[in-house]
Amino acid sequence: MWKKLNRLGLCLLLALGSGEIAPVQAAEKPEFYEQIYLSEAEALKLVMGDLNLKKTIFKPTAAQRKRLQQKMRRKLPESEIPIWVGFKQGKPARYAFILHEDGKHYPITFIVGLTPDGKVTQVAVMVYREKRGDGVKRARFLNQFPGKTRRDDVEVNADIIHITGSTISSWSMAAGVRKALILHEELGLK
Amino acid sequence: MHERIFFNTEIEFEHGGLLGAGTNDGALKIEQATLDFQLEDWLIFRGGAILVPVGRLNVLHDSDFRDTTARPLFTRVIVPSTWMEPGAGFYGTLYPDDHWEIFYEAYVLQGLIDGLTDGNGLRGARPSLGKDNNNGKALTTRVGMSPFIGLELGLGGYYSAFDAAGDKHLGMLVADLNWSHGPFEVLGEAGLVLHSPTTYRSGEEDIALDGSMWGYYLEGHYHFFPDFLKGSWLESDLSQPVFTLVGRVSQIDTNTRRFNQHDRTELVLGLNYRPIPSTVFKIEYQWLLNNEAVSRGDWQRESHNNQLIASVAVGF
């Protein structure tokens, strides 16, 4: 009887022990695998070069949010959007937006560089969180964006060709670059 | 599992799944289940129930990827999609510069069974995942290239012994194309199957199957969103909804030695609406014709009933 109880006690102890450990393991295990291609500093260096940088935070008012959503034809989930201004001889020479767009399951983080007159200079993927479909990080896809302005559609099936096997990520990247162009226009950046 | 180890599976509950101890017409099927171990970007080991990489559609067959409900006649009969076999091998992608992409897949697979027929082509020859009918193994590969974004060309090959003794052989070549430019897209596949003479049972009769098989499909897409619908409930809050007009022609011949009712042509005209990339509402009309009648200009003679097909598909 004692042996039986002792064995039961040991079992309970083991069960409790594993119960204590399990949540810690679950918390430590990432929800997704971040593939970090560029840190914030590296992305800004790539897009802004040696310009003097100033970071500002854009907090859209209710009216701005409404206008942005109308132009984007979708919701604007962000309450704050960081914008970097690159100065050359005291004048803005370039703008950079670090944005996040939902891929199939998780957000894609990327940087969009714009000239003061609203032309895309460069797009680079910084963090990709899906297990598959990272073809959008390749130059063969991203090279479609430089030169785009608000006059362009910047849409898959219009002026952007999606990557086979990365269809949703391709749509997300196009939507994100379009968002950067709309933000540039809305803020009247020059 | 790990940054370099992936497990992929596709389990289908078809026609309501398997009910009543298998007495209904539903099915519970594994359409693919693979373990990938990435050694390099260009060298990834794959083992498991593998989609045979002949043509593009068998590998990318998910309903939410496709713009029609029914798969092309060619990829139901000549390439019997969804076609998967147990096996192992390697795949990978190389990027020689900022424009080119070169990709490959190469596997040793279990191989087909002795189920070739005139009319159904290779559809009845797909093997069981549980047992092999002979000692032979199948070899398959697909190599492809994309010289620039928007153009992809592929060539797939497959070889297998298919009878129990391993004396009858089958070889197959399938070329595929995918071209996109603005709102236009063209995709297609064409294939040729050469095999040892064989027979199959139909009722009380043994029928000889001694000719090669061939087939193709060519599909055109036009993506658009009409101005008059902008601002409507079909567009608002949806970022980039799109309509796609689809046209397709597909032909097959499953025994070139006989010109008969099994030589068929399929014509499809369809329209679909994608509110978001992973969700699509499809409708299409399918004409199923006899090649011999088509060659005489008789477009009225149906090989099977023409069909109006509608479906919804979502990827998750």
Side-chain angles (χ1 to χ4, degrees):
Chain A
M1 180 67 179
W2 167 246
K3 275 185 183 173
K4 271 188 183 175
L5 281 172
N6 197 21
R7 206 178 301 150
L8 185 64
L10 188 62
C11 289
L12 279 170
L13 194 67
L14 283 173
L16 284 169
S18 61
E20 275 180 355
I21 292 165
V24 177
Q25 284 177 331
E28 284 175 353
K29 192 169 180 178
E31 233 184 297
F32 43 74
Y33 292 104
E34 287 194 334
Q35 298 165 71
I36 300 170
Y37 303 120
L38 293 169
S39 66
E40 184 179 294
E42 289 168 334
L44 288 168
K45 181 75 179 172
L46 182 75
V47 169
M48 307 296 257
D50 293 326
L51 298 173
N52 294 319
L53 298 187
K54 186 182 171 191
K55 181 181 178 182
T56 60
I57 302 290
F58 169 53
K59 295 179 181 177
T61 62
Q64 283 175 317
R65 179 175 292 278
K66 191 176 175 187
R67 274 199 304 276
L68 285 166
Q69 291 183 158
Q70 277 173 347
K71 288 178 178 177
M72 287 163 51
R73 305 191 301 270
R74 63 188 171 116
K75 297 273 190 295
L76 178 71
E78 297 95 331
S79 54
E80 294 184 352
I81 298 171
I83 303 167
W84 283 264
V85 188
F87 289 92
K88 188 176 183 182
Q89 295 169 346
K91 289 184 178 174
R94 189 149 299 173
Y95 296 93
F97 296 81
I98 292 180
L99 300 170
H100 314 275
E101 284 291 331
D102 281 341
K104 186 162 185 174
H105 303 106
Y106 303 112
I108 307 167
T109 302
F110 56 99
I111 187 166
V112 182
L114 294 167
T115 60
D117 60 347
K119 191 181 283 185
V120 175
T121 59
Q122 200 158 12
V123 180
V125 176
M126 296 167 61
V127 186
Y128 194 78
R129 298 173 178 86
E130 308 285 344
K131 284 189 178 174
R132 297 192 170 273
D134 66 352
V136 293
K137 74 179 181 193
R138 303 272 171 195
R140 68 195 310 265
F141 174 73
L142 296 173
N143 283 347
Q144 298 181 92
F145 294 108
K148 297 291 183 197
T149 68
R150 271 292 283 146
R151 287 186 295 278
D152 295 300
D153 294 321
V154 197
E155 289 184 352
V156 169
N157 297 327
D159 53 352
I160 300 296
I161 296 169
H162 69 85
I163 295 264
T164 303
S166 312
T167 310
I168 294 175
S169 295
S170 303
W171 286 51
S172 303
M173 290 295 297
V177 174
R178 199 163 63 245
K179 184 199 279 185
L181 288 165
I182 290 167
L183 283 166
H184 180 277
E185 181 185 65
E186 173 62 25
L187 293 169
L189 301 174
K190 293 284 178 193
Chain B
M1 297 172 76
H2 187 274
E3 288 96 327
R4 294 196 297 124
I5 300 174
F6 310 106
F7 177 66
N8 302 295
T9 188
E10 181 185 350
I11 300 170
E12 289 206 350
F13 296 89
E14 290 192 341
H15 311 298
L18 203 57
L19 300 171
T23 53
N24 70 329
D25 64 349
L28 170 60
K29 290 196 301 188
I30 289 181
E31 295 227 316
Q32 59 175 314
T34 58
L35 185 76
D36 292 1
F37 182 22
Q38 184 174 357
L39 310 174
E40 298 284 348
D41 276 351
W42 56 271
L43 188 66
I44 303 165
F45 169 82
R46 170 168 285 180
I50 294 171
L51 294 169
V52 180
V54 285
R56 194 168 173 274
L57 193 143
N58 190 52
V59 179
L60 295 171
H61 63 260
D62 294 340
S63 296
D64 59 310
F65 286 168
R66 289 184 287 111
D67 280 316
T68 57
T69 301
R71 298 176 200 201
L73 183 61
F74 170 74
T75 49
R76 297 197 303 270
V77 175
I78 304 296
V79 176
S81 181
T82 304
W83 179 13
M84 99 293 292
E85 295 186 12
F90 292 90
Y91 73 95
T93 307
L94 295 94
Y95 299 94
D97 60 24
D98 284 352
H99 302 284
W100 276 80
E101 181 184 277
I102 296 168
F103 49 89
Y104 74 93
E105 295 182 66
Y107 307 109
V108 177
L109 302 173
Q110 179 178 298
L112 294 171
I113 60 169
D114 198 353
L116 303 181
T117 60
D118 193 5
N120 276 330
L122 275 68
R123 193 143 195 94
R126 292 177 296 176
S128 142
L129 290 176
K131 60 182 178 184
D132 197 349
N133 71 327
N134 59 31
N135 291 326
K137 294 289 166 278
L139 300 171
T140 186
T141 186
R142 177 172 176 251
V143 290
M145 62 177 183
S146 172
F148 53 86
I149 193 160
L151 178 64
E152 190 179 301
L153 303 164
L155 184 64
Y158 179 90
Y159 161 78
S160 170
F162 60 89
D163 64 324
D167 294 332
K168 295 178 183 174
H169 306 271
L170 177 145
M172 168 185 237
L173 272 180
V174 175
D176 62 85
L177 155 85
N178 186 1
W179 174 77
S180 301
H181 184 75
F184 300 100
E185 195 174 9
V186 175
L187 47 151
E189 296 179 17
L192 175 69
V193 179
L194 302 173
H195 60 86
S196 307
T198 187
T199 57
Y200 66 93
R201 194 89 178 149
S202 178
E204 294 299 308
E205 200 181 349
D206 283 326
I207 298 179
L209 187 61
D210 48 3
S212 56
M213 302 183 188
W214 62 264
Y216 72 89
Y217 78 87
L218 194 63
E219 191 169 294
H221 299 169
Y222 175 64
H223 306 286
F224 66 102
F225 196 89
D227 283 342
F228 71 88
L229 288 176
K230 287 186 175 166
S232 72
W233 52 268
L234 288 170
E235 194 224 21
S236 56
D237 288 345
L238 291 169
S239 181
Q240 199 203 325
V242 66
F243 285 92
T244 301
L245 190 62
V246 187
R248 180 170 75 218
V249 57
S250 183
Q251 282 194 305
I252 57 155
D253 183 347
T254 47
N255 185 356
T256 50
R257 295 219 172 202
R258 291 172 196 215
F259 198 33
N260 58 20
Q261 77 277 10
H262 298 309
D263 307 336
R264 285 172 282 158
T265 297
E266 173 203 67
L267 300 172
V268 173
L269 191 60
L271 181 70
N272 70 51
Y273 165 64
R274 252 174 223 280
I276 56 174
S278 59
T279 300
V280 56
F281 299 81
K282 310 178 197 178
I283 187 161
E284 71 215 38
Y285 193 79
Q286 188 183 57
W287 289 266
L288 295 161
L289 307 163
N290 183 291
N291 284 1
E292 186 260 333
V294 169
S295 70
R296 285 189 287 102
D298 178 5
W299 296 90
Q300 303 301 315
R301 194 165 140 199
E302 300 171 17
S303 67
H304 294 76
N305 284 338
N306 294 340
Q307 302 178 83
L308 179 68
I309 306 170
S311 69
V312 293
V314 62
F316 54 89

